[in-house]
Amino acid sequence: MTVDIRKFFQATDPGKTLVVENPEDKKYYIDFSSVRGGEIIKKLKQKITFFSPDAPTCVLFTGHIGCGKSTELMRLKTELEHEGFQVVYFESSEDLEMTDVDISDVLLAIAHRVSQSLDKITLEEPSRLKGLLQGAWKVLNSEVTGFKLKPPEMPGVPKLGDIGITSENEKFSLAFGIGEITTKAKSDATLREKLNQYLGPQKTQLLEAINQELLEPAIASLKQQGKKGLVVIVDNLDRLDTRTKSWGRPQQEYLFVDQGEYLKKLNCHLVYTMPLALKFSNDYGNLTQRFDEPRVLPMVSIQLQDGSECEAGIALLRQMVLARVFPEFDEQERLNKITEIFDSPNTLDRLCRVSGGHVRDLLRLLNTWIMEEMELPLSGATLEAVIRARRNEMTMPISDDEWELLRQVRQRKKVSGDDGYQALIRSRLVFEYRDSSESWFDINPILAEAKELQP
């Protein structure tokens, strides 16, 4: 068969999340759990389905951005749905301004997405939530930087009492009402501040209203329909910006530590992605007092802690690459086709090793390589040029102090909790790996050949 290089290029798009319930995507999916330290998604599912199906649970899920969390969460969603749960999955970055997030923003986003998902369920009108939304709408439309409230009769401006009223049936829609407010506030920092000044002191009332007027009646209705419960998966909160709030508190610590009690008190099953840097924060102890130990999705192991190669990890990464071009073939058939795609098996292995087991980085290198070469088989010489370009891009912002920290990581295979290491983790200069007994760290292999790290 002739390989369509354009289709191969499109299949290696590093920005695409695999949705395993989609038959086409399922052909590309590789289960890396055996070389990631355990069945993390299986354990998340068991906590909900076996250990606590009828009582709310809350789990934090973390790992490097791009390591495959979203793909694994989509797999969790599919498996929970097969078990009979209603699952609401959403990417929080679509609803929130990630540079400026407050607890009320997250609560409203969850309420919005849950109410949107209940199109086949009729609930009583949520009077307390409606009142809070009307108050918020009034605040957003009050004087802002000297401009007075727009008259309600102006075209396109709902009357204060009409927030959430859809034109279709003239009835109140919670999803529509929250959508009107969050859309208005997301792109305007002044309005976000006014909204949070209004809702912040009422976050307990907001939480109670969401629980009593939305989540609890929704779950009761779902169970009458034969469902086992409601699970909300909030993805992309790991992309929360690192900047500090106006009063000096880092945003990540503020949301997950200071406001953690509110995140976990929604009366349904919850899974939040969390910034990996919080694992190395001085507030990590406080975080684990509020939540169970966060679940970490580490890199795919390409080598073991003693420096020897992890053949099982390399073998699975080979299959991930080859599945993107031969999705219909079995594992051995794909291996037999390596030299149709690469000039040698060693070239493919070089790609797998230099990725450090970071799935998106591997796909990004491969995607760039295909675009540069434009023909098959892909050559090792072009791969080396792509690696050098990527290394140059990564090394330019690294300070002398960070080079010293990188040398220490390479030697000790561990990191500490100070700010320097947090920066290395955020920048994907250092990766976390796990085997069955412990976690350990190493530098991103692309940096290993940088002149600054040579003896």
Side-chain angles (χ1 to χ4, degrees):
M1 63 175 283
T2 302
V3 174
D4 184 337
I5 195 165
R6 182 184 300 169
K7 189 173 181 181
F8 183 27
F9 172 80
Q10 292 168 348
T12 60
D13 178 359
K16 185 180 187 303
T17 297
L18 295 183
V19 181
V20 291
E21 62 185 350
N22 179 329
E24 289 300 310
D25 283 2
K26 190 172 183 179
K27 295 173 185 176
Y28 296 146
Y29 178 76
I30 302 294
D31 184 356
F32 290 113
S33 58
S34 62
V35 288
R36 274 183 158 159
E39 296 269 5
I40 298 169
I41 294 302
K42 181 179 179 181
K43 290 175 182 176
L44 287 182
K45 184 181 78 170
Q46 288 173 338
K47 180 170 184 177
I48 294 169
T49 61
F50 180 78
F51 290 105
S52 189
D54 297 314
T57 63
C58 183
V59 175
L60 300 181
F61 185 50
T62 191
H64 287 278
I65 290 175
C67 71
K69 293 187 300 298
S70 295
T71 293
E72 293 301 313
L73 288 174
M74 292 303 291
R75 175 185 151 199
L76 175 64
K77 174 181 182 291
T78 299
E79 293 187 7
L80 287 170
E81 287 172 342
H82 288 162
E83 292 278 348
F85 286 82
Q86 173 93 356
V87 183
V88 177
Y89 167 95
F90 71 100
E91 296 177 346
S92 56
S93 51
E94 294 182 0
D95 296 60
L96 307 173
E97 173 49 61
M98 303 305 280
T99 62
D100 182 21
V101 176
D102 211 305
I103 184 62
S104 57
D105 301 325
V106 179
L107 296 177
L108 283 177
I110 291 172
H112 181 216
R113 294 294 186 144
V114 170
S115 57
Q116 271 185 330
S117 76
L118 302 175
D119 54 341
K120 296 179 182 178
I121 293 177
T122 302
L123 301 178
E124 291 185 14
E125 186 171 291
S127 57
R128 281 189 292 164
L129 276 173
K130 183 178 179 181
L132 285 166
L133 295 183
Q134 287 176 333
W137 186 253
K138 183 175 181 179
V139 166
L140 292 182
N141 286 281
S142 63
E143 292 185 5
V144 177
T145 60
F147 292 96
K148 292 187 176 181
L149 172 66
K150 295 178 182 179
E153 64 271 11
M154 283 184 67
V157 180
K159 298 176 183 178
L160 292 184
D162 287 350
I163 182 70
I165 302 297
T166 61
S167 56
E168 294 179 6
N169 54 21
E170 298 297 319
K171 289 185 178 180
F172 176 77
S173 162
L174 181 60
F176 187 63
I178 296 174
E180 286 182 293
I181 288 171
T182 54
T183 299
K184 188 176 183 70
K186 183 179 180 183
S187 58
D188 189 317
T190 302
L191 292 182
R192 285 198 305 277
E193 184 178 0
K194 291 179 75 69
L195 179 62
N196 286 316
Q197 285 175 348
Y198 169 73
L199 288 177
Q202 303 186 79
K203 58 193 174 190
T204 299
Q205 294 94 312
L206 176 61
L207 179 70
E208 290 175 351
I210 291 171
N211 279 333
Q212 295 170 13
E213 296 186 334
L214 175 62
L215 297 180
E216 291 166 11
I219 291 169
S221 184
L222 287 167
K223 289 188 173 182
Q224 287 177 356
Q225 296 180 8
K227 296 283 187 180
K228 292 183 180 177
L230 173 67
V231 182
V232 177
I233 301 175
V234 186
D235 200 357
N236 284 5
L237 271 184
D238 56 321
R239 302 183 184 186
L240 201 63
D241 198 275
T242 58
R243 69 187 62 190
T244 57
K245 292 290 189 180
S246 58
W247 57 92
R249 183 69 163 144
Q251 180 172 228
Q252 296 179 350
E253 281 85 348
Y254 165 72
L255 186 65
F256 283 93
V257 180
D258 301 351
Q259 305 297 318
E261 284 299 318
Y262 294 93
L263 286 179
K264 66 180 293 188
K265 281 187 176 177
L266 290 165
N267 287 343
C268 63
H269 298 289
L270 297 156
V271 180
Y272 297 103
T273 54
M274 177 198 86
L276 182 60
L278 279 176
K279 269 187 61 69
F280 309 96
S281 164
N282 292 331
D283 277 297
Y284 187 65
N286 293 327
L287 178 79
T288 53
Q289 287 179 6
R290 290 164 174 76
F291 299 92
D292 291 340
E293 190 84 17
R295 300 284 187 173
V296 179
L297 187 69
M299 296 299 105
V300 175
S301 294
I302 55 164
Q303 64 179 27
L304 304 177
Q305 196 166 355
D306 62 9
S308 61
E309 183 169 288
C310 179
E311 174 53 36
I314 297 292
L316 287 171
L317 289 172
R318 285 190 205 112
Q319 289 296 326
M320 187 192 85
V321 172
L322 294 170
R324 301 292 168 129
V325 66
F326 300 120
E328 308 292 342
F329 289 12
D330 65 29
E331 292 184 5
Q332 189 56 51
E333 288 174 324
R334 291 172 186 160
L335 293 174
N336 293 340
K337 294 278 189 179
I338 286 179
T339 52
E340 292 184 22
I341 309 303
F342 304 97
D343 60 7
S344 79
N346 288 338
T347 299
L348 171 56
D349 286 358
R350 168 70 165 154
L351 170 68
C352 295
R353 292 189 188 99
V354 82
S355 73
H358 187 288
V359 174
R360 187 181 295 172
D361 280 1
L362 188 155
L363 291 174
R364 182 179 287 115
L365 289 169
L366 177 56
N367 199 255
T368 304
W369 186 10
I370 296 167
M371 190 162 49
E372 289 291 323
E373 193 123 12
M374 292 285 291
E375 63 181 1
L376 300 176
L378 300 173
S379 71
T382 303
L383 173 61
E384 294 306 321
V386 170
I387 291 170
R388 285 194 298 273
R390 177 64 183 137
R391 183 185 302 123
N392 184 59
E393 183 183 308
M394 291 174 65
T395 55
M396 283 193 291
I398 300 176
S399 68
D400 289 344
D401 288 343
E402 288 174 331
W403 282 118
E404 180 56 35
L405 291 176
L406 287 168
R407 293 184 193 98
Q408 293 175 17
V409 172
R410 185 168 65 173
Q411 180 180 358
R412 301 172 185 172
K413 307 299 184 189
K414 59 177 64 175
V415 301
S416 64
D418 68 32
D419 292 340
Y421 285 113
Q422 286 192 46
L424 298 183
I425 296 284
R426 282 196 302 269
S427 303
R428 300 201 314 280
L429 303 178
V430 168
F431 290 155
E432 180 175 359
Y433 300 90
R434 289 200 173 201
D435 55 30
S436 56
S437 58
E438 62 179 340
S439 67
W440 53 282
F441 297 81
D442 209 342
I443 62 171
N444 187 321
I446 286 184
L447 294 175
E449 294 160 30
K451 63 181 185 298
E452 290 86 351
L453 290 177
Q454 302 314 307

